Amino acid sequence: MFPQAILARAAAPCRAAARPSSSIFRAAAAMPLRAKLLPQQQPQSRMMSSSSFAHFIPCPNDDPEDVLFQSLYGLRTIELNRPNKLNALNGSMIRKIAPRLLEWSKSDMANVIVIKGAGRKGFCAGGDVQQLVEWNRDPTIDGPAKSAAYFAQEYKLNHLIATYNKPYIAFMDGFTMGGGVGLSIHAPFRIATENTVFSMPETTIGFFPDVGASFFLPRMAGEVGTWLALTSGQLKGVNAFYAGVATHYLHSSSLNALESRLAELRFKDYDQMSRRLEVVNDTIEEFVTGLPWEEPMAVAGEVRRAIDRCFGFDTVDEIMQALKEEEKNEVTGEWATKTLNTLHLRSPTSVHVTLKQMRIGKTWSIAEAFKREHSIATKFMSYPDFNEGVTAKLVEKPRRVPMWQPASLERFAEKKDWKELVGSFFLVDDKGPKFKLLSEETYDKYPFKNFGVPTEQEVEQKVAEGKVKNRAEVLEHFVRERRQKQGVEVVVSEILLRKTKEGKKGLTWVYGEEAPGQQE
């Protein structure tokens, strides 16, 4: 298996010989003063010991300005500040963000957290994978171990965000990919704009969807998460909102005003987290200016049905066969051909590993997802496709087609031991050192209320109650429940048309390929 040094170094990613100077330790300590603790806001399971900060000690070469922090009344703002690299996340940034969040979690002066990206193009376009490849190929160091240490810090930060005890809002204005998804997707509030481009593009570079994707992608409606994971598909603008990736859609010109308004919020000491989230949600809704009606739902209707038909299988071969059959469909044939061509460009190993991840990840808790992903990521650092994919797609100019090993999905299927190869990425070394998060807090579903549009599961549950006679009653219920939230009518109407049937016995939910909409 993998050397014990990998996990041992996870808590100290800087070279051991380069002990941080006293000035660096002073920088680590330069955090806001701790205020009185609020017991009702700090459950025992969430208390972080001072040793938590030891996981994020600055390194000598860390850029002092790659993350900017601002405090305005009760608002605390994190600004990713690498606009020339689309704010790609690196270790230096993680080692600033995590300690600051830990301090803010203990202060009753910090009410709301906002994270955003500098520049006009990207919130955060992913992790700095080029740096990882440089480490992996450096013969003078244990590169894979150093890369694994980076992932250890990143996943600890992601888990901290996923279990954070204060309202946390992500401005997904621009490219939100890979590492940027880890900084945003687990937040109770995720704001998309006309500039948003959401994607988990890992199969493009010979990796797998991480940063908690094992948890959130399999829990998306139908097979949308599997489709996004295997193809590295994108959701742009308002479609990130329609798909449930974002909880709100605002025009980017409203974000500065929203920040100022959030700074004015005041909470009572005894306000529970649920009450604070409700106040923040109402505040965000004040800045809603409407949806771009010229942009239709991209993942809807026949395309959505085709996604569920083709990506519901447990093997890549079955999915490919289903897509070939889908090519015969007059409506979705072109989509199927495009999807097939896309999958043939992805790393065969990544596609197979990712499919298995989507199938078993739905049973993992949030903490287990990060722990298992760290093990998988560590293995990918010693597998050739990652270095090759990053080099071909991101480093070399002009870009070229990566030389995957095996070279194609067909060649992968010809390997006699392909099942063992895929399974090896999921093996857990019970005897080796364990990857530990900052806390053991976990859950099987997001603990906060869904502030976005209703999910397909919510609509199905309402229909299953048997108390509604037709689609209009269901739609009225959700519009009223969400207090006329924008987008509810569009999303719920699409779900009802695709998944329900009206008849003499009332409204019924459609399963499988039964044609919706027909009268009994």
Side-chain angles (χ1 to χ4, degrees), residues 94-152:
I94 294 170
R95 289 187 286 274
K96 293 180 181 65
I97 297 170
R100 197 64 66 115
L101 286 175
L102 288 170
E103 278 295 341
W104 288 340
S105 72
K106 302 172 184 177
S107 171
D108 65 350
M109 294 184 292
N111 291 331
V112 179
I113 314 300
V114 165
I115 186 167
K116 62 182 183 178
R120 299 181 178 181
K121 293 183 178 181
F123 163 64
C124 176
D128 194 351
V129 291
Q130 296 184 43
Q131 177 65 76
L132 302 183
V133 170
E134 290 181 14
W135 290 340
N136 292 343
R137 289 177 169 171
D138 188 342
T140 66
I141 63 172
D142 187 349
K146 193 167 184 178
S147 295
Y150 165 83
F151 288 118

Side-chain angles (χ1 to χ4, degrees), residues 11 23 89 133 138 196 207 212 218 247 267 303 309 333 353 365 438 475:
S23 63
L89 186 69
V133 170
D138 188 342
T196 299
F207 198 47
T247 57
F267 300 130
V303 169
R309 279 196 299 268
V353 170
S365 68
L438 299 182
L475 182 59

Side-chain angles (χ1 to χ4, degrees), residues 4 7 429-434:
Q4 184 171 347
L7 285 178
D429 184 5
D430 294 329
K431 298 181 180 179
K434 304 297 183 183

Side-chain angles (χ1 to χ4, degrees), residues 58-75:
C59 294
N61 295 326
D62 284 357
D63 182 347
E65 296 185 351
D66 51 14
V67 182
L68 305 178
F69 300 96
Q70 183 176 2
S71 297
L72 180 62
Y73 304 117
L75 176 67

Side-chain angles (χ1 to χ4, degrees), residues 31-32 40-43 45-48 53 69 74-78 96-115 155-170 182-189 267 272-274 276-277 366 370 438-439 441-443 446-448:
M31 298 292 174
Q40 67 270 29
Q41 287 300 114
Q42 307 290 335
S45 61
R46 277 190 169 154
M47 288 295 190
M48 303 288 182
F53 292 91
F69 300 96
L75 176 67
R76 302 294 181 266
T77 302
I78 303 167
K96 293 180 181 65
I97 297 170
R100 197 64 66 115
L101 286 175
L102 288 170
E103 278 295 341
W104 288 340
S105 72
K106 302 172 184 177
S107 171
D108 65 350
M109 294 184 292
N111 291 331
V112 179
I113 314 300
V114 165
I115 186 167
Y155 299 165
K156 288 173 184 177
L157 171 59
N158 296 154
H159 179 259
L160 175 62
I161 293 170
T163 57
Y164 204 58
N165 64 338
K166 292 183 183 286
Y168 180 102
I169 308 163
L183 298 176
S184 57
I185 196 68
H186 307 294
F189 302 106
F267 300 130
Q272 296 298 312
M273 181 64 159
S274 58
R276 297 179 185 221
L277 294 176
I366 189 68
F370 287 118
L438 299 182
S439 77
E441 184 164 355
T442 191
Y443 47 75
Y446 288 114
F448 39 79

